[in-house]
Amino acid sequence: MPLSRADLPPDAVDAARWLLGKRLARGAVAVEITEVEAYLGVDDPASHAWRGPTPRNRVMFGPPGHLYCYTMHGHTCCNVVSGPEGIAHAVLIRAGRVAEGEAEARSRRGDVDAWKLARGPGNLTRALGVTMADAGVDLFNPSSPVRLTPGREVPDVDVVAGPRVGVSRAADEPYRLWIAAERSVSAYRRSPRAGAAGF
DNA sequence: AAGCGGATCTACT
DNA sequence: GTAGATCCGCTTC
């Protein structure tokens, strides 16, 4: 059974949990998602959508199930837009484990350990070959260059939550979810601009 | 028209 | 653990 758009929860945190264990596929490469971050659109000061629509973030304000891509520091990062339309909830795909097409992924990433091929959002897009040209594609359309496909069920006891990496606002919200004991999960770094940890 | 700041990565100590 | 490369979008002038 292919995944359907109706399976994707509208709330970004729910969508993030749902995406763990699913696969993101492009060309011969498929990555099993191991680490994600939820961004709550217009209600989230850490989201690119917080200040409203711009040419860059317009995909996030569109229908769910599409790919929001952006570049920073010379890297491409990609998000799954959730719903409802106009609220701009999205889930950043931070890391994954290459499940298919390791040779093709390695041709782009070079000679690194297998668990590092898609570790970190920039490395993940490089391993898959995702670029800004893929921005806005429908992840549930089988003829799209990038697709979401079924993976494995991840039990709740294997899922850990914590603060998002590198954000300077809302830096303590536990909107980052990952699979415990997965080596492909990237290291936590707090933004130097975020205040002291607020416990 | 220019400056600033960032949802990063790698290398080096 | 820390520093530097690197570059585009958004804000402000």
Side-chain angles (χ1 to χ4, degrees):
Chain A
M1 276 284 289
L3 298 175
S4 111
R5 193 181 317 277
D7 298 328
L8 178 68
D11 179 84
V13 178
D14 297 337
R17 171 66 184 85
W18 180 83
L19 283 165
L20 288 175
K22 301 291 189 298
R23 289 183 178 189
L24 200 58
R26 187 178 183 283
V29 183
V31 157
E32 182 181 292
I33 298 170
T34 58
E35 182 191 7
V36 290
E37 282 176 0
Y39 286 87
L40 308 192
V42 294
D43 297 320
D44 183 357
S47 170
H48 291 161
W50 187 47
R51 295 173 194 268
T54 68
R56 175 171 71 149
N57 66 21
R58 69 188 157 75
V59 171
M60 270 196 289
F61 288 88
H66 291 247
L67 193 69
Y68 166 54
C69 295
Y70 66 92
T71 56
M72 79 160 329
H73 291 90
H75 303 273
T76 302
C77 301
C78 68
N79 297 241
V80 176
V81 175
S82 59
E85 194 164 338
I87 306 299
H89 278 217
V91 179
L92 171 67
I93 309 300
R94 279 200 63 85
R97 179 181 64 77
V98 174
E100 296 172 31
E102 180 174 330
E104 186 175 316
R106 197 171 286 285
S107 73
R108 303 193 185 97
R109 290 279 293 123
D111 183 24
V112 299
D113 295 328
W115 56 275
K116 288 181 181 168
L117 282 170
R119 187 193 202 219
N123 290 333
L124 180 136
T125 56
R126 253 180 83 198
L128 283 168
V130 168
T131 68
M132 288 303 290
D134 297 306
V137 303
D138 181 0
L139 297 167
F140 292 103
N141 184 336
S143 61
S144 290
V146 189
R147 296 155 321 273
L148 265 178
T149 62
R152 67 181 180 95
E153 288 301 315
V154 179
D156 284 341
V157 293
D158 290 345
V159 177
V160 191
R164 294 173 288 190
V165 174
V167 298
S168 61
R169 299 173 183 270
D172 300 315
E173 301 294 337
Y175 294 155
R176 172 175 175 243
L177 304 182
W178 66 94
I179 299 175
E182 263 288 341
R183 283 220 286 180
S184 58
V185 173
S186 47
Y188 177 65
R189 286 183 198 68
R190 189 178 181 83
S191 166
R193 293 175 185 277
F199 286 108

